[in-house]
Amino acid sequence: MKQLACAVCLLTSGAGYASPTPSVPVPVSWSLAGDWRAHDGNDAAFVGQQGPVRDWRTLRVPSNWYTQGLDHQGVLWYRHEFTLPPLPADTMATLQFDGVDYYADAWLNRQPLGKHEGYFQRFAYDISDKLQRHNRLAVRVDSPFEDPKTIWPLHKTMVKGVLNQHDTRPGGAWSPRGQDANSGGIWAPVRLHLSRGVTVDNLILRPDWQQGLDKPQLRVELVYRATTAREVDLVLRARPANFAGEHFKQQQKVRLEATGTTPQRLTFYPADGARQTLVAKRLWLSAPLSRQRDLQR
């Protein structure tokens, strides 16, 4: 399964900004991994996005709660606090979760961010207007018990496994106990991404065969958010991650529109036709791309 490692760099003009020099280089991505606080949330009256956490237990994130010694079913509240240095006024902030099992509701500084359902999918929130110097993040995670008499394994609604109805957890599909352990939790990394003026949410490279199998074109799809409309110099780099081949680099000007909080998709074909044809051929059997994002002023 072939993969490319990709990087995109957007070089924008600093004209029009009179922000102070930040105390940390921007753009930057910070991991929020570490010791979080957790509390049983199966009591519907319990409100976990506020109040003290003195009696909350400590759980490591990222991790499934069972691997941290917590045998739990249902709802678990997570809390984490972090402090930021002074940031420029045009800072854009994105909170990214690489995976939560299974239902997630998130709040930042008591303000709701949104909901997500699913074990494996990455999801993110634009928190630019909610970020403060001192921040309190709360996540309500619900990984319900699947009763082996009524739900498990023939009436499942949650997708968290392989091989038909079998989950990759202790226990078995035909065990009278169902699954012996619950895989719930914030099991994948959580990151805070900061940039100025422009944020790249996704970068997709794919071959385009509309002109024939002997003339593949490299199609680039850039999912972005921008505070203002602007023309930028886009530098795209791609290199083989797990197979032998040439490195690819392309620089060209592209036009970005002001998006507000709604991401926009920009699709284009690199100007260097010969080079992009080589890369497109390499992508014929490629898997989803591993990505690196780098936004620079």
Side-chain angles (χ1 to χ4, degrees), residues 208-224:
D208 187 325
W209 306 95
Q210 296 184 54
Q211 299 185 26
L213 295 179
D214 59 336
K215 297 180 180 179
Q217 302 294 304
L218 179 64
R219 185 171 69 189
V220 180
E221 298 178 21
L222 190 71
V223 181
Y224 72 93

Side-chain angles (χ1 to χ4, degrees), residues 241-260:
N242 62 355
F243 63 96
E246 293 187 35
H247 290 211
F248 172 83
K249 179 181 177 180
Q250 180 70 43
Q251 180 170 349
Q252 67 184 73
K253 291 186 179 297
V254 296
R255 174 74 178 179
L256 302 181
E257 301 300 329
T259 65

